[in-house]
Amino acid sequence: MRNQGWRGLVGVALALAAIALPVAAQPYKAEYTLSIVPDTGTPWGKGTQLWADMVRERTHGRINIRLHPNATLMGGDQTREFTALRQGVIDMAVGSTINWSSAIPEFNVFSLPFLLRGYRSVDALTQGDVGRELFRRVEEQGVVPLAWGENGFRQLSNSRRAIRSPDDMRGLRFRVVGSLLFNDIFTALGAAPTQMTWGEAIRALRARKIDGQENPITIFNNAKLDTAGQRYITVWDYVADPIVFVVNRQVWDSWSPQDRDIVRDAAMEAARFEVTLAREDLLSTGQGMWDELEARGVKVTRLTPEQRQRFVDATRPVYAKWKALVGRDLVEKAEAAVKDDSMASKPQTPTQAGGVRK
């Protein structure tokens, strides 16, 4: 009887192991999808392609990644990207905190008007407690965050006139991203905001259905928006747009620990490259992107401190409203980080590009 009992237990154990085996040893996909919103010619696109290439090489083809630019996996609607990622419709992404803010409201901290004071303050948030807290929020959504990249500070362009004060914006129609915070900012400045995808925005600019838009200058330059009538740029650095290298949780769990380390290390390396690329022309003291734009006939207006303060004052009610919506504790932590003079002062080469090793 005793032997029969042991044989029964062994049989049950083997049956359970047989059931568990397929789950524990899921086969790798022949190809993994990797989504981005812009095209591959941007720093964002180049950094993402580098990530895919390094992973393919270092895993000897076990993880074969195909990059899908221009939000093609979501039919051009970038606001659907995080949902598609979370649901497993796409496997990997390098996505905008602005585009993903509808799923993770805390990402709006980067879009509070005039909170940030340059690249040093961006690094203070992404490399510090705020960045770690935001990564935890991403993980709670079933997505694994690996590194911080950057789309840059967003500047203003239009086809009508130079903008030096909120009064100059009155009545102008601006395309804004799909976040109610941006609607509030532009309404407070007297403009008429309208939300549309980036593809729709380019068509609307060329057809003169809208007057202007806001984006990092690298996006403006890559899309050659001056050929779409955008002849006036105002450098106001009102918000920034960090991006995040991520993997769907189920996909991540299907890889071996060794391959996860490879993917994470490659993401951090690609992110450092991408951040440097996104900033190098803008931080250059020589012939940079700004000089190139002005040579093409674009009028670049750089606000004086007094002019900038008028925009700050006009958007203070919006800041106060969204501070409560984003979360006072998180925003106050961000405000303290921005003011901390002890933060690293070399933003071109962030220590780990936001990577958090676990």
PDB file of all heavy atoms in Angstrom, residues 19-30 32 62-63 91 248-256 259-260:
ATOM      1  N   ILE A  19       1.833  19.489 -17.431  1.00  0.00           N
ATOM      2  CA  ILE A  19       0.922  20.613 -17.681  1.00  0.00           C
ATOM      3  C   ILE A  19       1.676  21.929 -17.624  1.00  0.00           C
ATOM      4  O   ILE A  19       1.480  22.830 -18.436  1.00  0.00           O
ATOM      5  CB  ILE A  19      -0.221  20.615 -16.649  1.00  0.00           C
ATOM      6  CG1 ILE A  19      -1.111  19.376 -16.852  1.00  0.00           C
ATOM      7  CG2 ILE A  19      -1.047  21.891 -16.752  1.00  0.00           C
ATOM      8  CD1 ILE A  19      -2.151  19.195 -15.768  1.00  0.00           C
ATOM      9  N   ALA A  20       2.605  22.073 -16.657  1.00  0.00           N
ATOM     10  CA  ALA A  20       3.306  23.346 -16.451  1.00  0.00           C
ATOM     11  C   ALA A  20       4.384  23.595 -17.487  1.00  0.00           C
ATOM     12  O   ALA A  20       4.738  24.733 -17.762  1.00  0.00           O
ATOM     13  CB  ALA A  20       3.943  23.363 -15.050  1.00  0.00           C
ATOM     14  N   LEU A  21       4.911  22.523 -18.099  1.00  0.00           N
ATOM     15  CA  LEU A  21       6.055  22.667 -18.974  1.00  0.00           C
ATOM     16  C   LEU A  21       5.837  23.631 -20.132  1.00  0.00           C
ATOM     17  O   LEU A  21       6.674  24.500 -20.384  1.00  0.00           O
ATOM     18  CB  LEU A  21       6.479  21.285 -19.494  1.00  0.00           C
ATOM     19  CG  LEU A  21       7.730  21.251 -20.382  1.00  0.00           C
ATOM     20  CD1 LEU A  21       8.916  21.819 -19.615  1.00  0.00           C
ATOM     21  CD2 LEU A  21       8.014  19.826 -20.858  1.00  0.00           C
ATOM     22  N   PRO A  22       4.704  23.558 -20.861  1.00  0.00           N
ATOM     23  CA  PRO A  22       4.540  24.481 -21.980  1.00  0.00           C
ATOM     24  C   PRO A  22       4.522  25.940 -21.554  1.00  0.00           C
ATOM     25  O   PRO A  22       4.962  26.819 -22.279  1.00  0.00           O
ATOM     26  CB  PRO A  22       3.187  24.055 -22.584  1.00  0.00           C
ATOM     27  CG  PRO A  22       2.999  22.639 -22.138  1.00  0.00           C
ATOM     28  CD  PRO A  22       3.617  22.582 -20.782  1.00  0.00           C
ATOM     29  N   VAL A  23       4.030  26.204 -20.327  1.00  0.00           N
ATOM     30  CA  VAL A  23       3.975  27.588 -19.856  1.00  0.00           C
ATOM     31  C   VAL A  23       5.369  28.093 -19.531  1.00  0.00           C
ATOM     32  O   VAL A  23       5.734  29.228 -19.804  1.00  0.00           O
ATOM     33  CB  VAL A  23       3.060  27.691 -18.611  1.00  0.00           C
ATOM     34  CG1 VAL A  23       3.078  29.099 -18.052  1.00  0.00           C
ATOM     35  CG2 VAL A  23       1.646  27.244 -18.974  1.00  0.00           C
ATOM     36  N   ALA A  24       6.180  27.225 -18.922  1.00  0.00           N
ATOM     37  CA  ALA A  24       7.511  27.640 -18.486  1.00  0.00           C
ATOM     38  C   ALA A  24       8.497  27.737 -19.644  1.00  0.00           C
ATOM     39  O   ALA A  24       9.534  28.348 -19.521  1.00  0.00           O
ATOM     40  CB  ALA A  24       8.035  26.670 -17.435  1.00  0.00           C
ATOM     41  N   ALA A  25       8.183  27.077 -20.741  1.00  0.00           N
ATOM     42  CA  ALA A  25       9.123  27.065 -21.859  1.00  0.00           C
ATOM     43  C   ALA A  25       8.446  27.548 -23.137  1.00  0.00           C
ATOM     44  O   ALA A  25       8.399  26.840 -24.140  1.00  0.00           O
ATOM     45  CB  ALA A  25       9.685  25.667 -22.044  1.00  0.00           C
ATOM     46  N   GLN A  26       7.882  28.730 -23.068  1.00  0.00           N
ATOM     47  CA  GLN A  26       7.213  29.280 -24.234  1.00  0.00           C
ATOM     48  C   GLN A  26       8.225  29.538 -25.336  1.00  0.00           C
ATOM     49  O   GLN A  26       9.298  30.078 -25.085  1.00  0.00           O
ATOM     50  CB  GLN A  26       6.517  30.598 -23.875  1.00  0.00           C
ATOM     51  CG  GLN A  26       5.403  30.457 -22.854  1.00  0.00           C
ATOM     52  CD  GLN A  26       4.764  31.789 -22.556  1.00  0.00           C
ATOM     53  OE1 GLN A  26       4.342  32.498 -23.454  1.00  0.00           O
ATOM     54  NE2 GLN A  26       4.706  32.140 -21.281  1.00  0.00           N
ATOM     55  N   PRO A  27       7.903  29.151 -26.563  1.00  0.00           N
ATOM     56  CA  PRO A  27       8.839  29.401 -27.663  1.00  0.00           C
ATOM     57  C   PRO A  27       8.923  30.888 -27.980  1.00  0.00           C
ATOM     58  O   PRO A  27       7.953  31.631 -27.802  1.00  0.00           O
ATOM     59  CB  PRO A  27       8.219  28.618 -28.823  1.00  0.00           C
ATOM     60  CG  PRO A  27       6.745  28.567 -28.501  1.00  0.00           C
ATOM     61  CD  PRO A  27       6.671  28.480 -27.001  1.00  0.00           C
ATOM     62  N   TYR A  28      10.088  31.315 -28.428  1.00  0.00           N
ATOM     63  CA  TYR A  28      10.251  32.703 -28.849  1.00  0.00           C
ATOM     64  C   TYR A  28       9.493  32.912 -30.160  1.00  0.00           C
ATOM     65  O   TYR A  28       9.363  31.997 -30.975  1.00  0.00           O
ATOM     66  CB  TYR A  28      11.730  33.021 -29.070  1.00  0.00           C
ATOM     67  CG  TYR A  28      12.537  33.246 -27.809  1.00  0.00           C
ATOM     68  CD1 TYR A  28      12.177  32.662 -26.597  1.00  0.00           C
ATOM     69  CD2 TYR A  28      13.669  34.050 -27.840  1.00  0.00           C
ATOM     70  CE1 TYR A  28      12.931  32.865 -25.461  1.00  0.00           C
ATOM     71  CE2 TYR A  28      14.443  34.258 -26.705  1.00  0.00           C
ATOM     72  CZ  TYR A  28      14.067  33.663 -25.515  1.00  0.00           C
ATOM     73  OH  TYR A  28      14.812  33.863 -24.378  1.00  0.00           O
ATOM     74  N   LYS A  29       9.017  34.114 -30.374  1.00  0.00           N
ATOM     75  CA  LYS A  29       8.376  34.443 -31.637  1.00  0.00           C
ATOM     76  C   LYS A  29       9.429  34.548 -32.743  1.00  0.00           C
ATOM     77  O   LYS A  29      10.592  34.879 -32.477  1.00  0.00           O
ATOM     78  CB  LYS A  29       7.642  35.777 -31.527  1.00  0.00           C
ATOM     79  CG  LYS A  29       6.448  35.773 -30.584  1.00  0.00           C
ATOM     80  CD  LYS A  29       5.746  37.127 -30.636  1.00  0.00           C
ATOM     81  CE  LYS A  29       4.532  37.175 -29.730  1.00  0.00           C
ATOM     82  NZ  LYS A  29       3.840  38.486 -29.829  1.00  0.00           N
ATOM     83  N   ALA A  30       8.981  34.308 -33.944  1.00  0.00           N
ATOM     84  CA  ALA A  30       9.898  34.478 -35.080  1.00  0.00           C
ATOM     85  C   ALA A  30      10.262  35.941 -35.258  1.00  0.00           C
ATOM     86  O   ALA A  30      11.366  36.284 -35.710  1.00  0.00           O
ATOM     87  CB  ALA A  30       9.264  33.933 -36.355  1.00  0.00           C
ATOM     88  N   TYR A  32       9.354  40.067 -33.405  1.00  0.00           N
ATOM     89  CA  TYR A  32       8.678  40.898 -32.410  1.00  0.00           C
ATOM     90  C   TYR A  32       8.427  42.281 -32.996  1.00  0.00           C
ATOM     91  O   TYR A  32       9.289  42.850 -33.682  1.00  0.00           O
ATOM     92  CB  TYR A  32       9.532  41.013 -31.138  1.00  0.00           C
ATOM     93  CG  TYR A  32       9.679  39.707 -30.400  1.00  0.00           C
ATOM     94  CD1 TYR A  32      10.720  38.842 -30.695  1.00  0.00           C
ATOM     95  CD2 TYR A  32       8.766  39.330 -29.428  1.00  0.00           C
ATOM     96  CE1 TYR A  32      10.859  37.629 -30.033  1.00  0.00           C
ATOM     97  CE2 TYR A  32       8.889  38.117 -28.755  1.00  0.00           C
ATOM     98  CZ  TYR A  32       9.931  37.273 -29.064  1.00  0.00           C
ATOM     99  OH  TYR A  32      10.048  36.069 -28.407  1.00  0.00           O
ATOM    100  N   ARG A  62      17.954  35.255 -31.726  1.00  0.00           N
ATOM    101  CA  ARG A  62      16.850  34.681 -30.947  1.00  0.00           C
ATOM    102  C   ARG A  62      15.712  35.674 -30.796  1.00  0.00           C
ATOM    103  O   ARG A  62      14.540  35.288 -30.820  1.00  0.00           O
ATOM    104  CB  ARG A  62      17.349  34.239 -29.557  1.00  0.00           C
ATOM    105  CG  ARG A  62      18.235  33.016 -29.547  1.00  0.00           C
ATOM    106  CD  ARG A  62      18.481  32.529 -28.126  1.00  0.00           C
ATOM    107  NE  ARG A  62      19.074  33.564 -27.271  1.00  0.00           N
ATOM    108  CZ  ARG A  62      20.364  33.820 -27.205  1.00  0.00           C
ATOM    109  NH1 ARG A  62      21.216  33.144 -27.978  1.00  0.00           N
ATOM    110  NH2 ARG A  62      20.832  34.755 -26.387  1.00  0.00           N
ATOM    111  N   ILE A  63      16.069  36.943 -30.612  1.00  0.00           N
ATOM    112  CA  ILE A  63      15.057  37.996 -30.512  1.00  0.00           C
ATOM    113  C   ILE A  63      15.204  38.887 -31.736  1.00  0.00           C
ATOM    114  O   ILE A  63      16.094  39.729 -31.817  1.00  0.00           O
ATOM    115  CB  ILE A  63      15.204  38.800 -29.208  1.00  0.00           C
ATOM    116  CG1 ILE A  63      15.057  37.867 -28.001  1.00  0.00           C
ATOM    117  CG2 ILE A  63      14.171  39.919 -29.156  1.00  0.00           C
ATOM    118  CD1 ILE A  63      15.238  38.552 -26.659  1.00  0.00           C
ATOM    119  N   ASP A  91       4.427  44.190 -29.252  1.00  0.00           N
ATOM    120  CA  ASP A  91       5.318  43.574 -28.275  1.00  0.00           C
ATOM    121  C   ASP A  91       6.197  44.564 -27.523  1.00  0.00           C
ATOM    122  O   ASP A  91       6.455  44.392 -26.335  1.00  0.00           O
ATOM    123  CB  ASP A  91       6.228  42.562 -28.982  1.00  0.00           C
ATOM    124  CG  ASP A  91       5.443  41.465 -29.684  1.00  0.00           C
ATOM    125  OD1 ASP A  91       4.505  40.926 -29.072  1.00  0.00           O
ATOM    126  OD2 ASP A  91       5.774  41.165 -30.848  1.00  0.00           O
ATOM    127  N   ASN A 248       6.235  44.583 -23.484  1.00  0.00           N
ATOM    128  CA  ASN A 248       5.045  43.963 -22.910  1.00  0.00           C
ATOM    129  C   ASN A 248       5.462  42.912 -21.877  1.00  0.00           C
ATOM    130  O   ASN A 248       6.413  42.158 -22.098  1.00  0.00           O
ATOM    131  CB  ASN A 248       4.217  43.323 -24.024  1.00  0.00           C
ATOM    132  CG  ASN A 248       3.117  42.419 -23.497  1.00  0.00           C
ATOM    133  OD1 ASN A 248       3.345  41.246 -23.248  1.00  0.00           O
ATOM    134  ND2 ASN A 248       1.934  42.967 -23.337  1.00  0.00           N
ATOM    135  N   ARG A 249       4.762  42.851 -20.736  1.00  0.00           N
ATOM    136  CA  ARG A 249       5.150  41.975 -19.634  1.00  0.00           C
ATOM    137  C   ARG A 249       5.163  40.499 -20.040  1.00  0.00           C
ATOM    138  O   ARG A 249       6.087  39.758 -19.684  1.00  0.00           O
ATOM    139  CB  ARG A 249       4.203  42.193 -18.447  1.00  0.00           C
ATOM    140  CG  ARG A 249       4.291  41.148 -17.338  1.00  0.00           C
ATOM    141  CD  ARG A 249       5.676  41.041 -16.718  1.00  0.00           C
ATOM    142  NE  ARG A 249       6.023  42.212 -15.931  1.00  0.00           N
ATOM    143  CZ  ARG A 249       7.177  42.366 -15.305  1.00  0.00           C
ATOM    144  NH1 ARG A 249       8.112  41.418 -15.388  1.00  0.00           N
ATOM    145  NH2 ARG A 249       7.432  43.447 -14.616  1.00  0.00           N
ATOM    146  N   GLN A 250       4.179  40.034 -20.761  1.00  0.00           N
ATOM    147  CA  GLN A 250       4.148  38.626 -21.145  1.00  0.00           C
ATOM    148  C   GLN A 250       5.306  38.275 -22.075  1.00  0.00           C
ATOM    149  O   GLN A 250       5.896  37.195 -21.967  1.00  0.00           O
ATOM    150  CB  GLN A 250       2.811  38.285 -21.798  1.00  0.00           C
ATOM    151  CG  GLN A 250       1.639  38.297 -20.826  1.00  0.00           C
ATOM    152  CD  GLN A 250       0.327  37.929 -21.489  1.00  0.00           C
ATOM    153  OE1 GLN A 250       0.086  38.254 -22.657  1.00  0.00           O
ATOM    154  NE2 GLN A 250      -0.533  37.236 -20.757  1.00  0.00           N
ATOM    155  N   VAL A 251       5.627  39.185 -22.969  1.00  0.00           N
ATOM    156  CA  VAL A 251       6.775  38.968 -23.845  1.00  0.00           C
ATOM    157  C   VAL A 251       8.054  38.915 -23.009  1.00  0.00           C
ATOM    158  O   VAL A 251       8.900  38.027 -23.181  1.00  0.00           O
ATOM    159  CB  VAL A 251       6.865  40.077 -24.914  1.00  0.00           C
ATOM    160  CG1 VAL A 251       8.187  39.998 -25.671  1.00  0.00           C
ATOM    161  CG2 VAL A 251       5.698  39.982 -25.885  1.00  0.00           C
ATOM    162  N   TRP A 252       8.184  39.851 -22.097  1.00  0.00           N
ATOM    163  CA  TRP A 252       9.372  39.906 -21.229  1.00  0.00           C
ATOM    164  C   TRP A 252       9.541  38.611 -20.448  1.00  0.00           C
ATOM    165  O   TRP A 252      10.634  38.045 -20.376  1.00  0.00           O
ATOM    166  CB  TRP A 252       9.225  41.093 -20.287  1.00  0.00           C
ATOM    167  CG  TRP A 252      10.343  41.293 -19.321  1.00  0.00           C
ATOM    168  CD1 TRP A 252      10.373  40.942 -18.004  1.00  0.00           C
ATOM    169  CD2 TRP A 252      11.609  41.922 -19.583  1.00  0.00           C
ATOM    170  NE1 TRP A 252      11.562  41.305 -17.430  1.00  0.00           N
ATOM    171  CE2 TRP A 252      12.344  41.920 -18.380  1.00  0.00           C
ATOM    172  CE3 TRP A 252      12.184  42.496 -20.716  1.00  0.00           C
ATOM    173  CZ2 TRP A 252      13.629  42.447 -18.277  1.00  0.00           C
ATOM    174  CZ3 TRP A 252      13.460  43.019 -20.619  1.00  0.00           C
ATOM    175  CH2 TRP A 252      14.166  42.996 -19.413  1.00  0.00           C
ATOM    176  N   ASP A 253       8.442  38.106 -19.877  1.00  0.00           N
ATOM    177  CA  ASP A 253       8.508  36.892 -19.069  1.00  0.00           C
ATOM    178  C   ASP A 253       8.805  35.653 -19.900  1.00  0.00           C
ATOM    179  O   ASP A 253       9.246  34.634 -19.358  1.00  0.00           O
ATOM    180  CB  ASP A 253       7.184  36.699 -18.318  1.00  0.00           C
ATOM    181  CG  ASP A 253       6.998  37.713 -17.192  1.00  0.00           C
ATOM    182  OD1 ASP A 253       8.003  38.341 -16.788  1.00  0.00           O
ATOM    183  OD2 ASP A 253       5.857  37.900 -16.736  1.00  0.00           O
ATOM    184  N   SER A 254       8.555  35.725 -21.208  1.00  0.00           N
ATOM    185  CA  SER A 254       8.814  34.564 -22.065  1.00  0.00           C
ATOM    186  C   SER A 254      10.293  34.414 -22.409  1.00  0.00           C
ATOM    187  O   SER A 254      10.706  33.366 -22.906  1.00  0.00           O
ATOM    188  CB  SER A 254       8.003  34.679 -23.363  1.00  0.00           C
ATOM    189  OG  SER A 254       8.546  35.667 -24.238  1.00  0.00           O
ATOM    190  N   TRP A 255      11.100  35.438 -22.148  1.00  0.00           N
ATOM    191  CA  TRP A 255      12.527  35.379 -22.464  1.00  0.00           C
ATOM    192  C   TRP A 255      13.322  34.825 -21.284  1.00  0.00           C
ATOM    193  O   TRP A 255      12.914  34.933 -20.127  1.00  0.00           O
ATOM    194  CB  TRP A 255      13.053  36.781 -22.811  1.00  0.00           C
ATOM    195  CG  TRP A 255      12.496  37.349 -24.078  1.00  0.00           C
ATOM    196  CD1 TRP A 255      12.021  36.673 -25.155  1.00  0.00           C
ATOM    197  CD2 TRP A 255      12.352  38.739 -24.388  1.00  0.00           C
ATOM    198  NE1 TRP A 255      11.588  37.543 -26.132  1.00  0.00           N
ATOM    199  CE2 TRP A 255      11.791  38.827 -25.685  1.00  0.00           C
ATOM    200  CE3 TRP A 255      12.655  39.925 -23.726  1.00  0.00           C
ATOM    201  CZ2 TRP A 255      11.519  40.042 -26.316  1.00  0.00           C
ATOM    202  CZ3 TRP A 255      12.390  41.140 -24.333  1.00  0.00           C
ATOM    203  CH2 TRP A 255      11.825  41.193 -25.623  1.00  0.00           C
ATOM    204  N   SER A 256      14.461  34.273 -21.578  1.00  0.00           N
ATOM    205  CA  SER A 256      15.341  33.786 -20.524  1.00  0.00           C
ATOM    206  C   SER A 256      15.919  34.969 -19.752  1.00  0.00           C
ATOM    207  O   SER A 256      15.989  36.093 -20.271  1.00  0.00           O
ATOM    208  CB  SER A 256      16.491  32.980 -21.142  1.00  0.00           C
ATOM    209  OG  SER A 256      17.383  33.845 -21.849  1.00  0.00           O
ATOM    210  N   ASP A 259      18.625  36.692 -21.716  1.00  0.00           N
ATOM    211  CA  ASP A 259      18.157  37.540 -22.808  1.00  0.00           C
ATOM    212  C   ASP A 259      17.500  38.823 -22.288  1.00  0.00           C
ATOM    213  O   ASP A 259      17.602  39.872 -22.915  1.00  0.00           O
ATOM    214  CB  ASP A 259      17.191  36.769 -23.710  1.00  0.00           C
ATOM    215  CG  ASP A 259      17.912  35.827 -24.656  1.00  0.00           C
ATOM    216  OD1 ASP A 259      19.141  35.997 -24.841  1.00  0.00           O
ATOM    217  OD2 ASP A 259      17.265  34.923 -25.225  1.00  0.00           O
ATOM    218  N   ARG A 260      16.845  38.742 -21.145  1.00  0.00           N
ATOM    219  CA  ARG A 260      16.283  39.963 -20.547  1.00  0.00           C
ATOM    220  C   ARG A 260      17.397  40.955 -20.236  1.00  0.00           C
ATOM    221  O   ARG A 260      17.260  42.162 -20.461  1.00  0.00           O
ATOM    222  CB  ARG A 260      15.518  39.626 -19.270  1.00  0.00           C
ATOM    223  CG  ARG A 260      14.240  38.865 -19.476  1.00  0.00           C
ATOM    224  CD  ARG A 260      13.629  38.514 -18.135  1.00  0.00           C
ATOM    225  NE  ARG A 260      12.774  37.333 -18.236  1.00  0.00           N
ATOM    226  CZ  ARG A 260      12.405  36.592 -17.202  1.00  0.00           C
ATOM    227  NH1 ARG A 260      12.834  36.896 -15.974  1.00  0.00           N
ATOM    228  NH2 ARG A 260      11.627  35.550 -17.373  1.00  0.00           N
TER     229      ARG A 260
END
